[in-house]
Amino acid sequence: MNKTKQNPFKPGAGYAPPLLIGRDDDIDDFVEGLDNGPGAPSRLMRVTGARGIGKTVLLSKFAEVASARGWEVIRESASEGLCARLVAQLQPPARGRHDFTLNPSVNVAGLIGGSLGAYHYESPQQMPLTLAGAMRERIGRLEKRDAGLLIEIDEAQAVDKNDMIAIANAAQAMNVENRNYALVFAGLPSMSSKWLNNDATTFMRRAEPHALRDVPLSAVAVSFGDTFEGTGMILAGDPLQAATEATFGYPFMIQLVGYYVWSQARRNHPDDPEVTIEDAQAGIGKALTRLGETVHGPELDGLSSVDRTYLLAMAQDDGPSSTSVIAERLGKGVNYAGNYRARLLEAQVIENKGYGKVDFAIPYLREYLREHAAFYRMSAESGE
Ligand SMILES: Nc1ncnc2c1ncn2[C@@H]1O[C@H](COP(=O)(O)OP(=O)(O)OP(=O)(O)O)[C@@H](O)[C@H]1O
Ligand SMILES: [Mg+2]
């Protein structure tokens, strides 16, 4: 077998992994939606899950599937001016448009009012009409050749309310006209509560929910074996088991462990294809450090100091924590602690384990907190 030089694993946000594990059902649902025509439930989807669970790469997979059927795909991520960018993308490239790039007025896409190529609007109130018009036009062209349009919106938890209302109204207009299109939102779990509780966006409630979870370890083991084999290496037996278990089925960790175990083996013995247990252990260690830097640190930084104190109290246990014991450790009433628990549950940092127990939902967060307890306690005391 040929040995390749390049590490096949992709531990970076949005990079397609060598094998997309455990998402067959979601992909099948999406395909079924395309096949069954306008009105099929999975033509409107919301994909949710924690950071690093694989939402963005699933959107890429959907885009690939749709493109293979001759569909066109528009991808956007939530940030200011989302709808204006959608309208701009919906327009077919004007012939000779590049001739005008030096004229700034041509590319102005203001938020308050402005001109987007053929579409003019005076105020945000007009955006739904503008967006619907642009969608109708583009989808109409595609329908003539029996194709459709897929629109994907990533980081949907951060979409501006007016943008969401415009998208909802435009989508509603397309539904009424039985248009050949599909719309997929992806975002953190908070997007569900944010948009589902909003009257103006009840249409989100009809979106088919796809809550992404960690993938089964059996599938991780098979994919590790195959991916190493694909580059002329052998990962089997105890090293394979150690590497697999270290991932906890968390997709980002799968890529980290794969990446560092692969590179350790290549570095330690370039001419021997078989991964040893030492390679596996060293690789797992590096993967853990990287996980801390890229996931645990930023996740904890995004929480309030009381949230972090709650987590520190949990980290004293080796397994699930009793919520009343946590309240005691915090020196607070059960209700007070309950508020913080609810927030951490919604952020999917912790999960319910039944009978008044909670546990960490992010792999190795307990260990990370223990290692960095002094630092987080200090920042709690200084009120940061
Ligand atoms: N099903 C999967 N199987 C294997 N690896 C995966 C899978 N899904 C994602 N990954 C890998 O996990 C990492 C994170 O994926 P991705 O960026 O899609 O996550 P995300 O949910 O969009 O995260 P964020 O909320 O930070 O945007 C990437 O390195 C990607 O290659
Ligand atoms: Mg993403």
Side-chain angles (χ1 to χ4, degrees):
M1 184 169 299
N2 282 333
K3 278 202 344 183
T4 37
K5 281 211 177 71
Q6 247 185 20
N7 195 319
F9 292 95
K10 302 286 172 202
Y15 284 101
L19 290 168
L20 191 67
I21 313 166
R23 302 292 179 236
D24 290 353
D25 286 349
D26 307 284
I27 296 165
D28 287 349
D29 284 350
F30 180 76
V31 168
E32 200 180 281
L34 295 189
D35 287 346
N36 286 337
S42 39
R43 287 227 172 174
L44 175 59
M45 246 190 212
R46 60 184 142 97
V47 175
T48 54
R51 289 249 171 247
I53 204 81
K55 301 176 294 292
T56 300
V57 300
L58 187 62
L59 289 184
S60 302
K61 184 69 194 177
F62 289 168
E64 194 186 304
V65 168
S67 301
R69 282 158 194 251
W71 279 43
E72 282 175 11
V73 183
I74 290 180
R75 290 183 76 163
E76 272 297 341
S77 189
S79 63
E80 200 175 309
L82 169 65
C83 280
R85 289 197 306 281
L86 278 176
V87 171
Q89 280 211 59
L90 280 162
Q91 295 172 78
R95 257 187 290 157
R97 186 153 80 181
H98 57 276
D99 292 346
F100 299 100
T101 46
L102 286 179
N103 178 350
S105 65
V106 173
N107 288 326
V108 168
L111 274 175
I112 304 306
S115 162
L116 288 159
Y119 297 93
H120 297 270
Y121 59 99
E122 305 297 324
S123 66
Q125 284 70 35
Q126 256 179 296
M127 188 47 101
L129 287 176
T130 312
L131 188 58
M135 281 175 77
R136 182 176 298 117
E137 168 98 19
R138 177 74 171 265
I139 298 168
R141 283 167 198 265
L142 288 165
E143 283 169 347
K144 284 194 191 117
R145 55 178 173 86
D146 227 11
L149 178 69
L150 167 64
I151 298 180
E152 297 184 324
I153 298 177
D154 206 351
E155 301 287 345
Q157 77 283 349
V159 175
D160 168 81
K161 189 174 166 200
N162 282 331
D163 279 336
M164 191 55 98
I165 293 170
I167 293 169
N169 289 344
Q172 189 57 30
M174 295 304 105
N175 292 351
V176 169
E177 296 169 22
N178 212 30
R179 293 286 177 174
N180 199 21
Y181 83 108
L183 179 54
V184 183
F185 295 94
L188 295 174
S190 62
M191 95 181 216
S192 296
S193 49
K194 179 172 174 188
W195 295 120
L196 296 183
N197 296 332
N198 189 321
D199 285 350
T201 52
T202 41
F203 105 111
M204 260 287 201
R205 206 166 288 157
R206 295 200 304 274
E208 192 176 82
H210 284 253
L212 301 188
R213 310 216 175 278
D214 294 337
V215 301
L217 289 186
S218 54
V220 175
V222 172
S223 84
F224 270 164
D226 290 352
T227 307
F228 274 77
E229 197 184 319
T231 59
M233 313 244 287
I234 303 161
L235 178 59
D238 288 347
L240 173 61
Q241 194 179 344
T244 301
E245 285 171 0
T247 68
F248 282 88
Y250 174 49
F252 181 46
M253 190 60 177
I254 296 171
Q255 299 308 313
L256 284 173
V257 169
Y259 187 91
Y260 287 110
V261 171
W262 192 96
S263 70
Q264 277 297 317
R266 271 296 162 89
R267 201 175 293 174
N268 294 349
H269 42 81
D271 298 319
D272 181 358
E274 187 147 357
V275 178
T276 65
I277 191 73
E278 289 78 24
D279 301 331
Q281 281 159 352
I284 292 166
K286 282 196 172 177
L288 275 172
T289 305
R290 205 68 200 119
L291 184 74
E293 290 161 359
T294 52
V295 174
H296 298 139
E299 185 76 50
L300 292 170
D301 289 347
L303 299 173
S304 75
S305 63
V306 185
D307 289 337
R308 289 194 293 255
T309 311
Y310 193 98
L311 296 175
L312 281 172
M314 282 177 65
Q316 294 178 29
D317 298 312
D318 291 327
S321 307
S322 146
T323 53
S324 53
V325 172
I326 297 297
E328 251 169 59
R329 283 182 193 155
L330 295 175
K332 303 281 181 189
V334 174
N335 285 347
Y336 174 92
N339 287 338
Y340 289 95
R341 184 183 68 231
R343 287 216 322 234
L344 290 166
L345 281 170
E346 173 163 317
Q348 288 198 359
V349 178
I350 64 173
E351 57 196 12
N352 266 319
K353 285 287 174 183
Y355 305 107
K357 298 217 158 183
V358 287
D359 203 355
F360 291 102
I362 299 176
Y364 300 107
L365 186 55
R366 183 194 321 278
E367 290 77 4
Y368 185 87
L369 279 159
R370 285 177 180 175
E371 269 175 39
H372 299 81
F375 172 76
Y376 285 113
R377 243 178 244 123
M378 247 160 51
S379 55
E381 277 154 23
S382 65
E384 271 170 44

